[in-house]
Amino acid sequence: MASFSPNTPHLKLTSTSAAPPRLWGWTSLFTAHKQAKKKQSFQFKAVYTPGLSLSSPTSKKPTQRREKNENETDDISILNERIRRDFGKREATRPVMDSEEADKYIQLVKEQQQKGLQKLKGKKSGGGGAGAGAGDSGYNGAGGFSYKVDPYSLRSSDYVVHKKVGIGKFVGIKFDVQKDSTVPIEYVFIEYADGMAKLPVKQASRMLYRYNLPNETKRPRTLSKLSDTTAWERRKTKGKVAIQKMVVDLMELYLHRLKQKRPPYPKNPAIAEFAAQFPYEPTPDQKKAFLDVERDLTERETPMDRLICGDVGFGKTEVALRAIFCVVSAGKQAMVLAPTIVLAKQHFDVVSERFSKYPDIKVGLLSRFQSKAEKEEHLDMIKHGHLNIIVGTHSLLGSRVVYNNLGLLVVDEEQRFGVKQKEKIASFKISVDVLTLSATPIPRTLYLALTGFRDASLISTPPPERLPIKTHLSAFSKEKVISAIKYELDRGGQVFYVLPRIKGLEEPMDFLQQAFPGVDIAIAHGQQYSRQLEETMEKFAQGAIKILICTNIVESGLDIQNANTIIVQDVQQFGLAQLYQLRGRVGRADKEAHAYLFYPDKSLLSDQALERLAALEECRELGQGFQLAEKDMGIRGFGTIFGEQQTGDVGNVGVDLFFEMLFESLSKVDEHCVISVPYKSVQIDININPRLPSEYINHLENPMEMVNEAEKAAEQDIWCLMQFTESLRRQYGKEPYSMEILLKKLYVRRMAADIGITKIYASGKMVGMKTNMNKKVFKMMIDSMTSEVHRNSLTFEGDQIKAELLLELPREQLLNWIFQCLAELYASLPALIKY
């Protein structure tokens, strides 16, 4: 079943009538029992709170209480489980906008998207693409993007996707003669599950896409059938629904950020004085990035969320320093977050040196290098605002760190942080300005920048003195390693020797000590004692240690001017972005630098590993981190953009068609808005008021109060109603069938309000629902439905959703049918913008 969005609108409800809200005939259920319970106090002993028990611990329990079966799968349990599962993934307190406000922000988002898409147009028409198989695809010149494949670029046994038929295997291109013609033309031959198809090349170039998957496996699960395209249509629909859910999730996050306000920072003349301390002449790209960030901070009221993408040593840190100065000089705190202790220490040194001329600005480092007393002192200083700039690792995100007046978060190499840290970083973006620095942004970050959901500044111009790093890719041998190190040591330099795991560090240490007996060699990795690691890195930075054998702890940011050779062993075990970052550890000065990438044996490498190595060889020039990230996005797959759960959705249609559908969805995002209605305005005209068993009523501590609380929970939102129902079941066991029907009436009314249905009525075999939704929203909901019974029975006429049933059902069965139908429609809410 498609996932349900827990971000249900919290509406301000107003009543147009002085009459009390209708209680769905609950009151009449208890009339017969008033005398029997006359002497019992109806004072409810515990106010209902979501997640808490419905009555006091001393309340009576039913004599024949039905224990809830863990495997119970009644309709309400199924719906509750989906609500609970999906609600936890989203922000429960995200405010809801009214329709006028939402329209304004949607327009702003569309403008941002257009800017992002214009960037892609330029990239596509320039021959490079953001997608897998970018060389085959391009901007189609007619106002949209095309990820279609050039048939002549296909190789035998490549898998392709025909937009209308589905997935097949490319056989080849051959000349053949059409019927009623003597002129041979070229055809593309494609093998399907039940036969061979041939397409004229011109037609194939308009309809075919390369089939790539967002993982290492390139083979589809099955080929499509020529004789029956229904299975392919279902797969395409699943992909479309998944795309729409992604887009809406992004839209809601972006709308939420646009809604946040903070006063623009003052244009401080002292910034020019601070900038003048930069000892180098900024490149044109750097100047543009400086200007972008300055405008974000001083001319906009919404918090900044900007990506600065540039190669190692291209000046990203200087952009961050100027942003920090702008924020700190206005009396706010800035946090600099780094993925490793080594990099955090280096940032601390750079920031401290740059702000040394400003005695009023205090800089602090929070890391595991500190003693407990030092750490406590720093935490206290942060809390009381005595530290203006705080540098550290993910410990800065801990609950014990309380900021006095945080204004800016600088994140270096976000891709190095774990999922929980990324979620915490995302939570900061709501209220503070965020600047992300990266040489090779992760696919998700890259995608958000390309499509305009995040602002991005690219620094692709290298500093004048920088030289390209010579990359040597070959099978491992000790002789090659020794030769490379000898060359570097002979010219007075230092060497990084990097391995993927701590376990293997001792082996090269042994043979290198034999090969270079008089040379200082040391080991560094993240599990060493803090002081030991700090001393080792300090000695290497000062030049006392000539060869540093280490893990990828040195991957990010480390700037050792005299280290101009790096050796990476077992290169196949590193990611593409990691390899690019590691290679960037050398060549920071004007010396020619060398990167030696060793693999054990090419025959042992996976296809994906070979692709990574080929991409790294291709991106040898300076300033190609962004292009490399695009290639990484193609190799690692777009399933990582929004999470691994999307891998299957992409696999349904392949990466290229998936992305084309995604851009199409982005261009029509404002067509998928659902407008909720107040809960009290929903009418349910179904004559059904079942009586509860007297035994059940007798054992409810205060049934009348419970009725009121149930109605209040339903009026608030679906989450509160779910919690009420689960609390009821925990306290009293599974309710009798008549009580289930009454609860379903509340669920039906709540779901109807969220979907925008104002009236539900039944007449004979016909069920009608009056709604404010448009035809496109209805189609989106229908596409999301997994039940063919409900999907095939619903039609849309004017402002009515209608269903013609096969039989005239009894009232209770009819309510069950409506409940299931609305639950299916409700499941599409994540694919709709809600206000």
Side-chain angles (χ1 to χ4, degrees):
M1 191 176 283
S3 61
F4 143 77
S5 168
N7 190 25
T8 355
H10 293 257
L11 299 158
K12 184 178 178 182
L13 301 176
T14 55
S15 177
T16 55
S17 169
R22 184 180 172 192
L23 293 181
W24 301 104
W26 286 67
T27 309
S28 62
L29 302 172
F30 301 97
T31 306
H33 303 278
K34 279 186 178 179
Q35 296 302 317
K37 297 180 72 74
K38 198 170 185 179
K39 294 181 181 179
Q40 181 181 333
S41 169
F42 281 90
Q43 182 67 35
F44 200 50
K45 295 185 180 176
V47 177
Y48 169 70
T49 305
L52 298 183
S53 174
L54 287 167
S55 62
S56 68
T58 58
S59 64
K60 292 182 181 180
K61 305 293 189 293
T63 52
Q64 293 182 339
R65 172 176 171 175
R66 283 179 56 190
E67 294 294 337
K68 184 176 177 181
N69 188 331
E70 287 183 6
N71 299 319
E72 194 164 24
T73 54
D74 64 276
D75 293 338
I76 291 177
S77 294
I78 292 169
L79 178 60
N80 282 352
E81 179 56 33
R82 190 174 68 238
I83 294 167
R84 177 170 294 283
R85 183 183 66 239
D86 294 328
F87 192 92
K89 296 177 185 176
R90 299 167 67 91
E91 198 176 333
T93 57
R94 195 178 299 165
V96 173
M97 308 175 190
D98 59 43
S99 58
E100 186 177 331
E101 188 181 25
D103 283 336
K104 180 180 77 173
Y105 286 119
I106 285 172
Q107 190 55 42
L108 283 172
V109 172
K110 287 204 77 177
E111 289 172 12
Q112 278 292 96
Q113 289 169 5
Q114 289 307 310
K115 289 177 186 175
L117 294 174
Q118 287 297 326
K119 285 181 192 174
L120 274 177
K121 283 182 190 178
K123 296 181 76 60
K124 284 294 196 179
S125 57
D136 306 331
S137 53
Y139 179 59
N140 65 17
F145 291 94
S146 172
Y147 279 88
K148 298 176 181 71
V149 67
D150 176 2
Y152 292 105
S153 70
L154 293 168
R155 293 176 297 181
S156 180
S157 297
D158 280 350
Y159 292 98
V160 293
V161 181
H162 188 287
K163 205 167 186 176
K164 291 185 177 177
V165 179
I167 302 166
K169 186 188 286 187
F170 175 75
V171 176
I173 299 176
K174 298 176 184 177
F175 280 95
D176 202 354
V177 179
Q178 280 183 315
K179 290 180 181 179
D180 307 322
S181 173
T182 57
V183 181
I185 61 170
E186 281 187 300
Y187 283 93
V188 175
F189 286 82
I190 303 169
E191 180 188 342
Y192 287 94
D194 57 349
M196 188 77 68
K198 65 176 186 178
L199 289 147
V201 169
K202 283 187 179 179
Q203 185 184 343
S205 63
R206 293 195 304 269
M207 300 299 290
L208 288 184
Y209 302 79
R210 190 185 294 276
Y211 183 79
N212 292 304
L213 281 179
N215 52 42
E216 202 163 333
T217 307
K218 299 295 179 185
R219 293 173 62 87
R221 294 190 303 272
T222 180
L223 298 182
S224 302
K225 289 183 178 181
L226 284 168
S227 57
D228 182 9
T229 59
T230 53
W232 167 244
E233 288 300 325
R234 280 198 300 271
R235 291 178 74 165
K236 211 161 56 166
T237 296
K238 281 184 180 178
K240 185 178 178 182
V241 171
I243 284 166
Q244 190 60 30
K245 287 177 182 176
M246 291 181 190
V247 170
V248 169
D249 192 41
L250 273 178
M251 284 288 293
E252 287 186 342
L253 288 169
Y254 195 85
L255 289 173
H256 185 47
R257 190 166 67 84
L258 283 175
K259 188 175 168 61
Q260 306 306 309
K261 298 294 179 188
R262 55 120 175 92
Y265 287 94
K267 293 189 176 183
N268 192 339
I271 293 177
E273 181 188 326
F274 180 81
Q277 298 172 26
F278 187 50
Y280 307 102
E281 177 63 29
T283 63
D285 286 350
Q286 259 188 309
K287 289 178 182 176
K288 175 70 166 53
F290 294 151
L291 192 60
D292 288 342
V293 172
E294 184 182 346
R295 284 175 177 164
D296 286 347
L297 293 172
T298 62
E299 296 179 13
R300 285 167 52 169
E301 292 185 336
T302 53
M304 171 177 69
D305 182 15
R306 182 170 290 276
L307 166 69
I308 306 294
C309 184
D311 268 25
V312 287
F314 276 36
K316 300 186 296 295
T317 305
E318 179 62 23
V319 179
L321 288 169
R322 296 187 188 188
I324 290 168
F325 185 86
C326 179
V327 169
V328 170
S329 60
K332 293 205 170 186
Q333 292 173 305
M335 176 187 2
V336 180
L337 191 62
T340 64
I341 295 171
V342 171
L343 183 53
K345 179 68 167 61
Q346 184 164 307
H347 276 311
F348 173 72
D349 293 340
V350 170
V351 173
S352 298
E353 183 184 350
R354 195 66 193 281
F355 283 87
S356 59
K357 295 183 180 179
Y358 302 88
D360 293 338
I361 297 175
K362 305 295 181 186
V363 185
L365 174 68
L366 195 67
S367 79
R368 66 181 175 92
F369 283 168
Q370 296 169 314
S371 67
K372 188 176 180 180
E374 287 174 329
K375 199 171 287 185
E376 291 298 327
E377 183 186 357
H378 274 68
L379 288 172
D380 186 68
M381 292 175 73
I382 294 168
K383 184 177 181 179
H384 292 96
H386 300 146
L387 278 182
N388 307 96
I389 306 167
I390 305 101
V391 185
T393 58
H394 62 272
S395 58
L396 291 180
L397 303 174
S399 57
R400 294 197 63 213
V401 187
V402 180
Y403 296 92
N404 181 272
N405 190 15
L406 186 64
L408 175 68
L409 168 61
V410 177
V411 186
D412 197 4
E413 301 301 346
E414 187 179 352
Q415 75 272 14
R416 294 286 308 280
F417 291 95
V419 173
K420 287 184 178 178
Q421 284 83 37
K422 285 175 187 169
E423 287 175 358
K424 183 74 173 177
I425 292 167
S427 71
F428 275 103
K429 293 181 182 181
I430 297 166
S431 54
V432 303
D433 292 278
V434 178
L435 193 63
T436 304
L437 314 178
S438 182
T440 49
I442 57 175
R444 176 188 169 90
T445 304
L446 175 64
Y447 169 77
L448 295 178
L450 287 174
T451 51
F453 280 107
R454 283 185 76 175
D455 298 310
S457 300
L458 306 185
I459 304 178
S460 55
T461 311
E465 72 280 2
R466 290 292 296 274
L467 298 170
I469 300 161
K470 280 201 154 187
T471 304
H472 312 269
L473 187 64
S474 68
F476 177 82
S477 80
K478 289 182 181 179
E479 291 74 21
K480 289 178 183 176
V481 169
I482 291 168
S483 173
I485 293 175
K486 186 176 186 305
Y487 172 80
E488 184 60 49
L489 295 179
D490 286 348
R491 62 175 185 167
Q494 295 166 267
V495 178
F496 289 102
Y497 194 124
V498 184
L499 288 97
R501 288 187 295 269
I502 295 172
K503 194 176 179 182
L505 296 179
E506 295 295 339
E507 188 179 334
M509 183 77 168
D510 293 341
F511 81 77
L512 289 179
Q513 282 178 333
Q514 291 178 17
F516 304 99
V519 175
D520 285 331
I521 305 171
I523 286 176
H525 59 78
Q527 291 183 16
Q528 288 176 321
Y529 290 115
S530 303
R531 296 297 177 196
Q532 181 187 359
L533 179 59
E534 187 177 17
E535 285 173 12
T536 301
M537 299 310 298
E538 194 68 35
K539 286 181 181 177
F540 187 65
Q542 291 170 357
I545 293 170
K546 298 299 181 183
I547 304 171
L548 185 69
I549 303 171
C550 54
T551 58
N552 65 333
I553 192 173
V554 300
E555 176 186 325
S556 298
L558 200 64
D559 187 358
I560 311 293
Q561 297 281 314
N562 196 43
N564 285 296
T565 290
I566 186 166
I567 293 165
V568 184
Q569 190 175 320
D570 289 332
V571 69
Q572 76 283 357
Q573 294 188 33
F574 292 92
L576 189 54
Q578 281 184 310
L579 292 173
Y580 191 77
Q581 290 277 31
L582 286 168
R583 187 172 66 177
R585 293 309 100 221
V586 296
R588 307 297 292 254
D590 53 2
K591 269 187 182 179
E592 183 178 63
H594 296 266
Y596 295 86
L597 309 179
F598 291 112
Y599 50 85
D601 184 342
K602 266 195 177 178
S603 63
L604 301 175
L605 301 183
S606 66
D607 290 343
Q608 194 180 29
L610 288 170
E611 282 186 75
R612 280 201 297 269
L613 299 183
L616 199 67
E617 279 194 302
E618 200 176 315
C619 294
R620 289 172 181 266
E621 297 303 313
L622 294 170
Q624 290 190 298
F626 193 79
Q627 290 90 328
L628 198 85
E630 289 185 311
K631 288 178 181 293
D632 194 23
M633 191 157 66
I635 294 167
R636 283 207 289 161
F638 299 98
T640 58
I641 292 173
F642 296 94
E644 293 301 325
Q645 68 272 20
Q646 266 76 46
T647 297
D649 299 321
V650 182
N652 279 322
V653 295
V655 168
D656 289 357
L657 179 55
F658 186 87
F659 246 59
E660 187 158 285
M661 290 162 69
L662 178 57
F663 288 127
E664 185 181 341
S665 183
L666 279 170
S667 66
K668 297 176 180 177
V669 71
D670 54 346
E671 295 177 1
H672 295 286
C673 298
V674 62
I675 302 172
S676 304
V677 297
Y679 175 81
K680 289 182 180 178
S681 70
V682 179
Q683 298 175 34
I684 311 290
D685 289 344
I686 299 171
N687 184 22
I688 178 170
N689 288 298
R691 289 183 176 275
L692 297 182
S694 57
E695 184 187 81
Y696 188 71
I697 292 175
N698 286 333
H699 288 287
L700 295 176
E701 182 177 347
N702 194 331
M704 290 301 295
E705 186 68 24
M706 197 172 290
V707 169
N708 291 330
E709 294 299 332
E711 186 78 19
K712 285 177 186 175
E715 186 177 328
Q716 189 168 345
D717 59 33
I718 194 81
W719 176 249
C720 286
L721 179 56
M722 179 212 73
Q723 287 194 309
F724 178 91
T725 305
E726 290 190 343
S727 296
L728 183 72
R729 289 179 169 186
R730 279 196 302 271
Q731 187 72 27
Y732 297 105
K734 174 68 172 69
E735 69 281 345
Y737 182 66
S738 53
M739 182 67 176
E740 183 181 320
I741 291 295
L742 292 170
L743 288 172
K744 281 184 175 178
K745 290 187 76 170
L746 294 176
Y747 274 94
V748 164
R749 192 179 184 191
R750 178 70 263 168
M751 289 189 288
D754 290 342
I755 293 171
I757 293 171
T758 55
K759 184 177 181 180
I760 299 175
Y761 58 93
S763 176
K765 295 179 182 179
M766 200 273 289
V767 175
M769 304 179 196
K770 191 172 181 181
T771 178
N772 62 20
M773 72 177 69
N774 62 43
K775 197 167 187 177
K776 288 176 180 174
V777 169
F778 175 73
K779 187 178 185 307
M780 185 73 241
M781 287 185 156
I782 292 295
D783 286 345
S784 300
M785 295 177 82
T786 55
S787 166
E788 290 189 28
V789 174
H790 291 118
R791 183 169 62 236
N792 296 337
S793 62
L794 297 180
T795 56
F796 193 82
E797 299 173 19
D799 63 349
Q800 302 273 322
I801 299 172
K802 293 184 178 179
E804 193 73 37
L805 306 180
L806 294 175
L807 300 170
E808 186 172 343
L809 299 174
R811 301 292 93 176
E812 290 183 358
Q813 288 185 34
L814 182 62
L815 182 71
N816 284 329
W817 189 92
I818 292 170
F819 176 92
Q820 292 166 0
C821 184
L822 282 183
E824 280 278 314
L825 289 173
Y826 205 68
S828 64
L829 276 182
L832 296 162
I833 301 164
K834 301 171 288 297
Y835 58 82

